Amino acid sequence: MKIKPLYALVLTAMLSSCSKDFIERPSLSGTTTGNYYNNADEVRAATSTLYSGLPWRNYESRAQDAIGDVMSGNMFTYTDVEYLNFTVSSASERIGASWGAFYKIIGYSNVMIKTFEEKKAAGGGAAYLDPAIAECHFIRGMLYFYIARTWGAAPIITDPGATALSGNFNIPRYIQKDVLRFALEELQLAETGLPESDVPGRVTKYAAKGMMAKLYLYNKDYANAKAKAEEVINSGKYSLVADYSGMFTKMSMNNNAESIFSIQHQLAQDPWGTGNIKNPDRGAGALRTSEADAWEMYVPSLDLLKEYEFGDLRRRWSVMEHGWTNPNWKPQRVNAPKYNAFMANGFKYDTLQPAEDGGSQGPTRSNIVKYFAGPGKSFGGDPVLGQNSGNNVVLLRYADILLIYAEAVLAGGTSTSDAKALDALNKVRSRAGLSPKTAFTQDDILHERRVEFAFEGDYWYDIQRQGYAKAKAIVEKQNRGTVTGATYITNFTEDKMYLPIPSGEIVQDPELGKEPVPYYK
C-alpha cells in the first residue's frame, strides 16, 4: 500500500540517538509497549526527540527566516526573492520543507500519545506517562498553531496509523478557526498534565500557559490572553536576561531564565547540518574562515534599520553595521595579508574597506548578529563545527509574555496608561536602554515586537493578525530594496495573507486543493 509523504512517518523508524543527555534517546526499533517504556527514563528519552534540532531542521533552517522575517520586511535576500515580493508558489522549497517538518513532528507526537496511552491501559505508571503525554500535546498544539498561521486552513491528523490502515488518504483541509481551536485544546491538555517545573529545556505548565496566551492574542481574545500571560508573570519562574545577544550566540546561555521553549541543539560531530545551521546564512562575508563560511543569505532590511529608536541597544545586539566591532574575533585567511592585517586587532565591520581586504559591502550594508556564533572557537567565537553551532533556537521567551500582557490590556483600544501594562512594556524597553513610556498604542506595541524579535521568525504573524487592510498598509509602506535603490510592494492582495499548500501534497491528496471544511461538527 502506498503511503503518502504526510503520513508515511508512522511506518518509519524515529530519529537516531544523539550524544547529549538532554536529547539522547534509544532507537525505537524492536521496542513494544510490553518490553519498553517501563520507567521515566525510557519515556523521557523518547519524548526528548520532540525537542531535538534534527526533526525541526527543515523549518528552522531558512524556512523560518523566509516566512517569518523576509515576508515581514525584516530581512532582505537575493535567494528567497519570492518571499520578499510575495510571488510565492506552491512549489517553493521553503513551503515544502516547513510543512514536512511540522507534520513529521506532529506524527512523532501522535505515535507517542497512542503508545503511552496503550502502556497506561496495560498497567504502566501514570506518574511518568501522563507528563509525557502532556509534552506531546504541547508540541502538537504549538505546531498546529504554527500551521494555522502559516497556511490558514490545513489538515488535522491525530491517528496517522488508522489513516494508513484505512487506505483513505483523502484528508481535507479544515477551516482555520477549527485548526486554531484544535491547537488551543491541545495546549489546554498540556497545561493540565505538565508539571510546574522540570529540568531546563523541558516544557512545563507555564510553557503551555505562555503559548496559550500567544494563541489567545492571535484570536483577539484579550481577556484570556491577559489572564494566561499574567499567570506566567506571577509564577516568578522567568526573567529577562541581561545578555540579550548571548541568548542567541552563546551555548553557555542555552535554556536561560528567559527561555520558555527552545529547539534544543548541541555542537554536533557532523560539520554539515546536524546542529544549528543558521550560522553561515547570517554572518558577514568578511568572517569567512576555515571553520565556518558566512555567505550572507539573509541580511537586515533597510526598513527594519530605520525602525530602531535612537539609543536602542537591540540594534547593535542584533545587527552588524559600519563601526560594529568584536575585538575577540580574529579570523585568518590563507594568502590574504591585507585582510589579516585589517583583522589583527579583532573584527571590524567596515563598509568603506574593500571586501577582499575585510570590508563588508552587502546589499544593505549590514549583517545579522542573532544566531551568528562567530568565526569559530579558535578565532575567538563560540564553538562552531563546519556550518554548525550549538545554540538553541528560541521559539518562546519571557519578553514575548510581557508584551502579550501589555497588548492584551490595551485590548484593541486607542491607547492605555494602565500601570501593570506599562510595567510589562517598560521592562522590555529598559533592558534595551530606552526611556519608559507613560502610555502606548497598538502601533507602539507592533514597533516594540518588531525590534525585540527581529530575525526570530515571528514578525510576519504579527502583521498577519492585524487583518488584511492593516497588513496591506504595513507591507506597502516598507522599503524592501537595497542601498542602490528602494523597492516597494504593489501586489499585496488578500490571498497572500497565507501560504499555498505544497503542490506535491495536493497531487497526492486532491482534497487539499478544495475548499476547507469544518473539523468540529
Side-chain angles (χ1 to χ4, degrees):
M1 178 172 58
K2 184 176 181 181
I3 305 300
K4 298 185 179 298
L6 183 60
Y7 320 116
L9 59 96
V10 299
L11 302 181
T12 61
M14 297 178 77
L15 296 175
S16 58
S17 59
C18 302
S19 59
K20 287 285 185 181
D21 288 344
F22 178 71
I23 57 174
E24 184 175 316
R25 59 169 313 282
S27 169
L28 297 187
S29 58
T31 66
T32 68
T33 54
N35 66 17
Y36 210 70
Y37 309 127
N38 293 312
N39 56 58
D41 288 342
E42 291 176 350
V43 170
R44 284 168 72 83
T47 56
S48 67
T49 302
L50 302 173
Y51 300 84
S52 166
L54 288 173
W56 288 90
R57 174 184 171 185
N58 284 346
Y59 166 66
E60 72 167 25
S61 172
R62 300 178 182 167
Q64 183 186 29
D65 295 324
I67 298 168
D69 280 296
V70 175
M71 279 177 59
S72 74
N74 279 353
M75 285 178 175
F76 177 84
T77 179
Y78 284 124
T79 305
D80 291 322
V81 176
E82 66 269 34
Y83 291 86
L84 194 65
N85 61 21
F86 291 97
T87 57
V88 182
S89 78
S90 60
S92 165
E93 178 184 357
R94 308 291 179 238
I95 289 176
S98 51
W99 177 281
F102 290 162
Y103 278 104
K104 178 181 288 186
I105 302 166
I106 286 169
Y108 293 159
S109 302
N110 289 339
V111 170
M112 288 184 199
I113 289 171
K114 186 174 180 63
T115 300
F116 297 156
E117 286 177 344
E118 288 176 353
K119 187 69 179 182
K120 270 183 64 180
Y128 55 84
L129 288 167
D130 282 343
I133 292 169
E135 280 182 287
C136 296
H137 282 301
F138 174 88
I139 297 294
R140 197 161 71 174
M142 181 187 70
L143 284 173
Y144 275 114
F145 181 35
Y146 270 80
I147 287 167
R149 293 182 297 169
T150 304
W151 288 280
I156 297 173
I157 311 296
T158 59
D159 191 349
T163 300
L165 291 173
S166 74
N168 178 17
F169 299 107
N170 293 318
I171 308 299
R173 289 189 302 149
Y174 296 107
I175 57 177
Q176 188 203 32
K177 181 180 71 173
D178 284 2
V179 181
L180 288 168
R181 175 180 164 184
F182 180 82
L184 177 61
E185 290 173 352
E186 288 293 293
L187 293 172
Q188 288 169 335
L189 288 171
E191 179 188 29
T192 300
L194 285 168
E196 293 266 337
S197 59
D198 207 325
V199 298
R202 290 273 180 175
V203 294
T204 67
K205 193 178 297 293
Y206 293 100
K209 292 176 188 291
M211 195 61 69
M212 287 166 65
K214 196 172 181 75
L215 193 156
Y216 280 129
L217 188 72
Y218 185 87
N219 279 342
K220 295 182 169 56
D221 183 347
Y222 299 116
N224 278 315
K226 175 187 173 184
K228 287 302 171 187
E230 193 166 31
E231 288 177 36
V232 178
I233 293 168
N234 290 343
S235 74
K237 293 182 178 294
Y238 305 98
S239 60
L240 299 178
V241 298
D243 189 355
Y244 179 99
S245 184
M247 283 192 285
F248 311 99
T249 58
K250 296 177 183 177
M251 285 183 64
S252 60
M253 288 192 67
N254 283 349
N255 301 319
N256 57 71
E258 188 165 338
S259 175
I260 298 177
F261 177 78
S262 299
I263 301 169
Q264 301 292 312
H265 281 294
Q266 58 181 305
L267 188 59
Q269 302 305 307
D270 176 359
W272 305 110
T274 52
N276 179 336
I277 54 178
K278 289 182 179 291
N279 204 61
D281 291 345
R282 296 181 170 220
L287 284 163
R288 292 190 183 98
T289 72
S290 60
E291 286 191 345
D293 285 350
W295 45 62
E296 304 177 282
M297 182 175 290
Y298 304 108
V299 299
S301 72
L302 294 174
D303 197 79
L304 173 68
L305 294 179
K306 71 176 179 57
E307 187 80 5
Y308 289 100
E309 296 171 62
F310 180 77
D312 191 334
L313 297 174
R314 288 169 295 195
R315 184 166 187 151
R316 66 178 175 82
W317 291 340
S318 304
V319 178
M320 300 179 199
E321 297 175 274
H322 186 75
W324 192 94
T325 62
N326 189 322
N328 298 316
W329 291 354
K330 299 182 180 180
Q332 300 293 309
R333 290 183 185 172
V334 177
N335 300 322
K338 288 185 178 179
Y339 172 89
N340 292 334
F342 184 64
M343 298 295 181
N345 296 315
F347 175 70
K348 294 179 287 186
Y349 197 97
D350 191 328
T351 61
L352 304 178
Q353 185 82 1
E356 61 270 21
D357 295 341
S360 300
Q361 298 179 343
T364 65
R365 302 298 189 265
S366 60
N367 285 94
I368 297 171
V369 174
K370 281 184 179 177
Y371 294 116
F372 185 72
K377 189 172 184 180
S378 62
F379 298 106
D382 219 49
V384 173
L385 178 64
Q387 305 304 316
N388 299 277
S389 75
N391 304 116
N392 289 349
V393 173
V394 187
L395 297 186
L396 183 66
R397 54 188 178 92
Y398 186 58
D400 202 351
I401 302 302
L402 292 171
L403 294 180
I404 288 170
Y405 178 82
E407 186 175 350
V409 172
L410 179 61
T414 303
S415 67
T416 184
S417 55
D418 178 89
K420 287 186 177 180
L422 283 167
D423 180 64
L425 173 67
N426 287 328
K427 278 185 169 69
V428 176
R429 289 179 58 81
S430 175
R431 175 173 62 179
L434 297 174
S435 58
K437 285 188 172 291
T438 56
F440 64 88
T441 66
Q442 182 69 25
D443 286 344
D444 291 330
I445 284 286
L446 283 178
H447 158 80
E448 208 66 48
R449 292 189 64 84
R450 186 178 191 185
V451 295
E452 176 68 25
F453 305 114
F455 319 130
E456 296 178 49
D458 202 54
Y459 188 54
W460 168 246
Y461 302 122
D462 280 328
I463 292 175
Q464 182 196 77
R465 66 185 173 84
Q466 304 308 306
Y468 170 63
K470 186 164 184 177
K472 179 179 174 68
I474 291 171
V475 168
E476 292 185 347
K477 286 180 181 177
Q478 295 176 338
N479 177 6
R480 295 183 172 227
T482 71
V483 293
T484 61
T487 301
Y488 293 91
I489 294 297
T490 59
N491 66 332
F492 190 78
T493 50
E494 192 163 5
D495 61 309
K496 293 177 172 59
M497 293 284 282
Y498 302 99
L499 292 176
I501 302 291
S503 55
E505 297 293 335
I506 297 176
V507 168
Q508 301 211 45
D509 180 2
E511 291 294 315
L512 295 177
K514 298 179 181 179
E515 287 298 307
V517 299
Y519 180 77
Y520 296 93
K521 307 303 180 185

